[in-house]
Amino acid sequence: MLTRIDHIGIACRDLDTTVAFYRATYGFEVHHTEVNEEQGVREAMLRINGTDDGGASWIQLLEPIREDSPVAKWLAKHGEGVHHIAFGTADVDGAAQAVGARGVRVLYDEPRRGSMDSRITFLHPKDCHGVLTELVTAAQDAPGHGEHG
Ligand code: MC0
């Protein structure tokens, strides 16, 4: 059902400074940046492996753009650090339904838009031994991607 670690989300106060650290220390380059208004973040995706066609895992650096956003709240309470882990699946709807049926709170009724046009939902950290857990179907991993009609 869940086939890989898609990304690790890291909360930071200043995206540019944190990107500079990852570049200088590990040689990771930014593959993509975007603002996700709904989630209240500006983010940078650093690809660790894989290709544009799929199978990649990522470090996702997250800077809040609003004080009332989940990442801003997390930073105020805990400071910078790992904010969530995301498991990849070809079927985020099915995975969310299956996990929900096992008694874990799924935070969204329907998956929402995540990085790079992925579809995402979250599991409540209190039901996951303290880990905010995301389920994600990357755009490239969605059934039918690349097919031409
Ligand atoms: C909160 N808690 C966490 C946590 N955030 N525990 C582990 N990891 C986290 N990241 C804990 C708090 O410490 C607290 O426990 C309890 O959960 C309630 O937290 P709260 O501070 O009162 O905040 P709430 O209840 O208003 O919201 C928590 C909730 C929220 C998880 C529902 O953060 C949420 O909806 N998160 C999902 C969306 C999200 O995080 N978006 C940002 C990434 P104590 O024991 O202190 O009471 S967007 C993203 O990642 C996208 C772009 C993508 O991947 O593509």
Side-chain angles (χ1 to χ4, degrees):
M1 179 174 81
L2 306 175
T3 49
R4 63 201 173 82
I5 293 174
D6 182 277
H7 66 263
I8 299 186
I10 296 172
C12 63
R13 294 191 197 286
D14 184 279
L15 192 63
D16 299 337
T17 309
T18 313
V19 162
F21 169 82
Y22 275 83
R23 183 180 288 130
T25 310
Y26 308 117
F28 295 154
E29 292 295 339
V30 174
H31 182 272
H32 177 84
T33 58
E34 69 181 77
V35 170
N36 186 321
E37 289 286 347
E38 182 182 32
Q39 295 290 341
V41 293
R42 188 163 81 93
E43 63 174 68
M45 295 296 273
L46 284 58
R47 194 168 72 197
I48 308 297
N49 59 8
T51 69
D52 282 346
D53 294 329
S57 55
W58 308 83
I59 294 292
Q60 180 185 62
L61 303 176
L62 299 162
E63 176 195 80
I65 57 169
R66 287 195 301 273
E67 278 314 307
D68 63 349
S69 63
V71 172
K73 236 174 141 178
W74 170 261
L75 278 169
K77 252 188 181 170
H78 304 275
E80 294 187 315
V82 174
H83 179 259
H84 65 270
I85 62 167
F87 293 124
T89 170
D91 177 14
V92 63
D93 304 83
Q97 200 173 29
V99 171
R102 292 170 192 153
V104 172
R105 277 171 288 171
V106 177
L107 296 183
Y108 304 151
D109 291 337
E110 289 290 329
R112 299 184 184 174
R113 194 184 69 76
S115 303
M116 302 182 293
D117 289 328
S118 58
R119 296 179 70 237
I120 64 171
T121 193
F122 288 92
L123 311 178
H124 202 288
K126 291 293 175 191
D127 295 348
C128 302
H129 297 268
V131 179
L132 176 61
T133 304
E134 180 181 323
L135 307 178
V136 54
T137 297
Q140 304 90 322
D141 293 342
H145 176 79
E147 286 174 12
H148 301 285

